[in-house]
Amino acid sequence: MMTSKMSNQSSDFTGVVNKDDIFIAVLGLAGSGKSSFITECTSQDATIGHGLASCTTTVSLYSYDHVDRIGKKCKVHLIDTPGFDDLERSDVEILQEVMFWLSYAYDNGFFLNGIVYLQSIAAPRWTAASQRSLEIFKALCGAQNYKSVVLATTFWDTIAEGDDEAQERYKSLVDVHWKDLKKAGSHIQPASYGYSWATLLIDRIVSKGTKHVLQVQSEMQIPGANLRDTTAGQTAGELWRLDDDRKEGVLDLDQTREQLLTHWSRKVQDDMTALTQQIEALRNQIGGNEQQQYRIMSPPPPYSHLGKGSEREQEEEKRLLRQKAKDLDRVKQVKLASYGMYVNTAAMVFGGTAAAVAVLSLLACNVM
């Protein structure tokens, strides 16, 4: 593990990602409240409505100027990760993307200051999915990094006062499931929704002022290593073999580091192209762009009837289209912020290192 004190150099808060900024990964099972936590911290809506997929289906980066309890200001970047047991994506695909992000972060000198791991206290029982998620999380981190972890229980606002079952679930988390994490220095915090509790968790990580290399990041640097060679890959493989719905994913752990980076870099480029086309198609549909460059959108736009009905109905449909375009643009910017911090990826997406550097100065923190 690498642990170093942060530089005392102050940030100019221009929106450029700086290696001395604070980077905090937010992990947890799907539905554990990651997006709500990030929204509380950043005042940026980390969930996208209007029928669009949530940003949390991919690794996304949200940034803001954090002010601690003594008034000190710093730039914080929260990395929102997709949770395992997601209905939209397989666990192996999620693990691959998290590993891709962590590998590129390591290659380009961006290291985490800490990790927030969320668990819903409203979940009626500890499930096999809960156990899988926790075991893979621990394998990604490595026991030497447990002290950089904040474990928080969410959805206490949905629990009735005096609910003994919820208290028993919390006690079981602390005394059984999180016992080794707690013993190794992880901080455990029952949390309610609101800006104060969210920033309290961030303060705890910021105040330590240390950077960490996760176990999986070190393991992926070994020449010729593939996902199966890492502790996280081995742990996932052992767990998935016991599950009929996941055992096929074990074969995908044979990807080498180079294959992983190539595949996901190409996917980033494809995502950017698809989002750009969808945004332009929406703008063209509402008359925002007279040059009809992009006429293909998936799924097909359900608004070919625009122009019919009353004027009020037309205006409402246009308003909804504008909102969809804005939401898609936010998805694109969040993805760019997540991957654009790595010049290699940005150069690939935007065509050359010079273009990438120019884009980096516009991204990172100024998400719509």
Side-chain angles (χ1 to χ4, degrees):
M1 181 191 72
M2 179 204 77
T3 303
S4 61
K5 283 290 179 182
M6 288 186 300
S7 168
N8 292 324
Q9 179 181 1
S10 61
S11 172
D12 58 5
F13 303 106
T14 59
V16 179
V17 172
N18 190 299
K19 294 178 182 179
D20 289 334
D21 293 344
I22 306 296
F23 294 88
I24 300 173
V26 184
L27 290 89
L29 204 62
S32 60
K34 297 184 296 294
S35 295
S36 296
F37 169 76
I38 288 173
T39 297
E40 294 290 354
C41 289
T42 65
S43 297
Q44 301 171 26
D45 187 1
T47 58
I48 302 298
H50 310 291
L52 298 175
S54 168
C55 281
T56 322
T57 56
T58 62
V59 174
S60 305
L61 184 134
Y62 295 85
S63 308
Y64 72 106
D65 292 340
H66 178 79
V67 180
D68 65 17
R69 286 169 290 181
I70 62 174
K72 186 177 179 181
K73 191 176 183 182
C74 62
K75 181 70 76 178
V76 171
H77 309 281
L78 300 179
I79 299 98
D80 191 7
T81 63
F84 292 112
D85 205 37
D86 191 284
L87 296 177
E88 301 294 329
R89 301 176 63 190
S90 68
D91 282 357
V92 68
E93 185 179 4
I94 290 170
L95 181 61
Q96 286 175 344
E97 184 178 7
V98 171
M99 284 186 167
F100 161 71
W101 196 95
L102 289 171
S103 293
Y104 253 25
Y106 182 97
D107 289 349
N108 290 274
F110 291 94
F111 303 109
L112 294 177
N113 293 80
I115 300 173
V116 174
Y117 188 88
L118 302 180
Q119 172 71 35
S120 171
I121 199 63
R125 64 186 183 280
W126 184 259
T127 64
S130 302
Q131 189 65 35
R132 284 194 301 268
S133 177
L134 181 63
E135 292 300 323
I136 294 173
F137 163 71
K138 288 159 60 177
L140 287 169
C141 291
Q144 68 272 29
N145 288 310
Y146 287 176
K147 61 181 176 292
S148 69
V149 173
V150 174
L151 302 162
T153 47
T154 55
F155 293 106
W156 281 101
D157 56 321
T158 67
I159 302 299
E161 187 175 351
D163 187 331
D164 292 338
E165 291 185 359
Q167 295 298 332
E168 283 299 318
R169 289 196 295 271
Y170 180 71
K171 187 176 187 301
S172 178
L173 282 171
V174 175
D175 295 342
V176 180
H177 304 298
W178 292 347
K179 181 179 179 180
D180 53 343
L181 287 153
K182 180 183 178 182
K183 185 176 180 179
S186 296
H187 175 72
I188 299 175
Q189 176 76 47
S192 301
Y193 284 121
Y195 178 77
S196 59
W197 82 264
T199 55
L200 182 65
L201 298 188
I202 301 301
D203 280 344
R204 177 169 288 276
I205 294 173
V206 170
S207 64
K208 292 184 177 181
T210 54
K211 298 281 189 179
H212 304 274
V213 173
L214 302 189
Q215 179 167 280
V216 71
Q217 291 177 304
S218 298
E219 292 172 339
M220 288 294 286
Q221 299 306 309
I222 299 173
N226 59 28
L227 302 189
R228 193 189 297 273
D229 295 326
T230 67
T231 305
Q234 293 168 8
T235 299
E238 291 171 3
L239 293 169
W240 292 343
R241 284 189 188 94
L242 303 175
D243 190 307
D244 291 339
D245 294 332
R246 291 172 174 79
K247 61 176 56 177
E248 291 184 2
V250 175
L251 298 176
D252 293 323
L253 294 174
D254 288 329
Q255 271 194 329
T256 65
R257 180 176 179 278
E258 289 69 27
Q259 290 172 329
L260 179 75
L261 297 181
T262 298
H263 169 77
W264 282 97
S265 295
R266 185 178 295 115
K267 187 176 186 304
V268 171
Q269 185 179 27
D270 291 343
D271 285 350
M272 293 304 102
T273 300
L275 281 169
T276 298
Q277 290 178 343
Q278 290 182 51
I279 292 166
E280 290 300 325
L282 279 168
R283 288 175 176 167
N284 289 341
Q285 188 67 28
I286 59 178
N289 187 339
E290 294 181 357
Q291 296 181 3
Q292 304 293 316
Q293 294 179 332
Y294 301 98
R295 303 303 300 170
I296 300 175
M297 181 178 177
S298 180
Y303 19 80
S304 58
H305 62 288
L306 194 63
K308 299 179 181 180
S310 69
E311 183 175 341
R312 179 177 298 179
E313 290 173 341
Q314 292 178 33
E315 288 303 315
E316 176 62 15
E317 290 194 60
K318 287 182 180 180
R319 185 191 68 78
L320 291 174
L321 290 176
R322 291 189 186 98
Q323 184 61 53
K324 286 183 178 181
K326 182 178 180 180
D327 286 347
L328 281 173
D329 201 43
R330 285 191 62 249
V331 172
K332 179 180 177 181
Q333 294 302 318
V334 166
K335 287 189 177 191
L336 286 174
S338 174
Y339 296 112
M341 59 190 289
Y342 311 122
V343 174
N344 290 341
T345 301
M348 173 201 67
V349 174
F350 297 104
T353 302
V357 172
V359 171
L360 289 179
S361 67
L362 301 175
L363 292 178
C365 308
N366 296 319
V367 181
M368 288 179 63

